[in-house]
Amino acid sequence: MKIEKKNFDLDERTIIMGILNVTPDSFSDGGNYNTIENAVKRALEMIEEGVDIIDIGGESTRPGHKSVGLEEELERVIPIIKAIREVSDIPISVDTYKGKVAEEAIKNGASLINDVWGFKKDEYIAEVAGKYNVPCCLMHNREDKNYNDIIEDMIVDLQKSIDIAIKNGVKKENIILDPGIGFAKTYEDNLVVMKNLKKIKEMGYPVLLGTSRKSFIGKALNIEEPKDRVEGTMVTTVMGIMSGCEFVRVHDVKANKRTAMMTEAILKCE
């Protein structure tokens, strides 16, 4: 898969997407990187740790988060994309469901769209992805938790997102799926999804797993503080790779990079 000017061989190794939340209220690192100086510093740290893609988000998606208007999200995201682009050619992903934000981000140096609503909140974002011919990550999400069979229902939901993308000119090879761990799912649902990631892989697209420091890990380990959930995150990274996930989206780049490398070494041995 080509992202920016870099070709990633998804069969060769796991691609590490590093989280850079430029928000005051994200559940784990809100307020840490919402200045240009701090954001660039953190981006360079992640590059040093071996990150492959930096995912920049200007609106928290934690439960109960406050929605952010278009102009405010642009003011948070665009200057930081520009600043990182001045110091590195690392591929940049924009974490947004707003088409206008995605478009401005691409114009200013982003090269991947990561939409937590899978193109269902604002269909213009699908037009943007098709127009600029960039990869996009379509995450599973919905307004309720009323599932008949969670995995089968997720597959139906994700297929609707894929259909929106294709209808708007997105190439199949530019689509990545995200099972949306922690979104419209109970604690038990998240565990079931983790156990059945191969069924999402069977849809025929690369899969990105985003579990980093999430509350289901905190509940399983009885750990309140998100930053203390690194070991639990690493276990999900291992299970994701063993299930065929090509991307992992994480806060703790070094720990998860090493976890991925060790997992791959074992899986590839003869």
Side-chain angles (χ1 to χ4, degrees), residues 1-15:
M1 176 174 281
K2 189 171 184 179
I3 303 174
E4 187 67 24
K5 297 174 183 176
K6 298 192 178 182
N7 285 303
F8 292 104
D9 184 346
L10 303 186
D11 296 322
E12 178 63 26
R13 63 178 180 84
T14 307
I15 309 304

Side-chain angles (χ1 to χ4, degrees), residues 143-161:
E143 299 284 358
D144 61 70
K145 300 177 185 177
N146 302 324
Y147 300 100
N148 293 314
D149 178 299
I150 185 166
I151 301 301
E152 293 304 314
D153 290 356
M154 282 176 63
I155 289 169
V156 170
D157 291 346
L158 283 167
Q159 187 59 54
K160 289 177 182 176
S161 290

